[in-house]
Amino acid sequence: MYKNVGTRLPEDIVKDLEYVAEEEKVDKSRLLRNLIAVAIKQRLIELALDKYSKREVSIGRGAELAQIPLADFMVIASKRKIPINYSLEDLEEDFKAVMKAK
């Protein structure tokens, strides 16, 4: 389902938008939707990494907020040199959860 959202853009951005849409042979609306989707996805990852690096969320919750698989979130965090926040208590909780699942 789509919803209309209006915004004002500077003329130079509109010209660039029109150029890219013409080059890619897509309409401006489709191009904008694609560009916004990519930007929002990246922003979700940035926000999640920021919260994770500040120890506001766990690594699993960070992945959920970023809407990406845990392994991908861990790789991105590693590339950004963000240390893994995993305590002995976290390990004990994980072991308990595994044992309950059996």
Side-chain angles (χ1 to χ4, degrees):
M1 181 167 90
Y2 289 97
K3 243 184 168 178
N4 283 334
V5 177
T7 187
R8 294 176 184 259
L9 297 172
E11 285 183 32
D12 59 326
I13 291 178
V14 173
K15 286 179 184 177
D16 291 342
L17 176 68
E18 290 169 345
Y19 171 74
V20 173
E22 186 177 314
E23 287 294 313
E24 294 186 1
K25 303 205 182 335
V26 296
D27 61 82
K28 290 184 289 186
S29 293
R30 180 183 303 255
L31 177 61
L32 279 170
R33 282 192 302 272
N34 292 342
L35 291 171
I36 290 169
V38 169
I40 291 292
K41 186 68 171 166
Q42 186 59 41
R43 191 67 183 132
L44 287 172
I45 292 169
E46 295 299 326
L47 289 169
L49 286 169
D50 183 57
K51 287 182 178 290
Y52 177 68
S53 70
K54 291 177 181 175
R55 297 180 181 259
E56 293 175 5
V57 297
S58 68
I59 198 162
R61 181 68 180 134
E64 288 175 13
L65 292 173
Q67 298 177 11
I68 60 175
L70 176 61
D72 293 349
F73 189 77
M74 292 173 75
V75 168
I76 295 168
S78 172
K79 286 180 180 177
R80 304 262 179 106
K81 308 277 192 247
I82 299 172
I84 291 183
N85 304 330
Y86 197 75
S87 68
L88 180 58
E89 292 158 352
D90 294 330
L91 178 63
E92 289 171 352
E93 285 180 28
D94 287 345
F95 275 131
K96 287 177 187 175
V98 169
M99 296 310 284
K100 274 186 180 180
K102 286 187 172 185

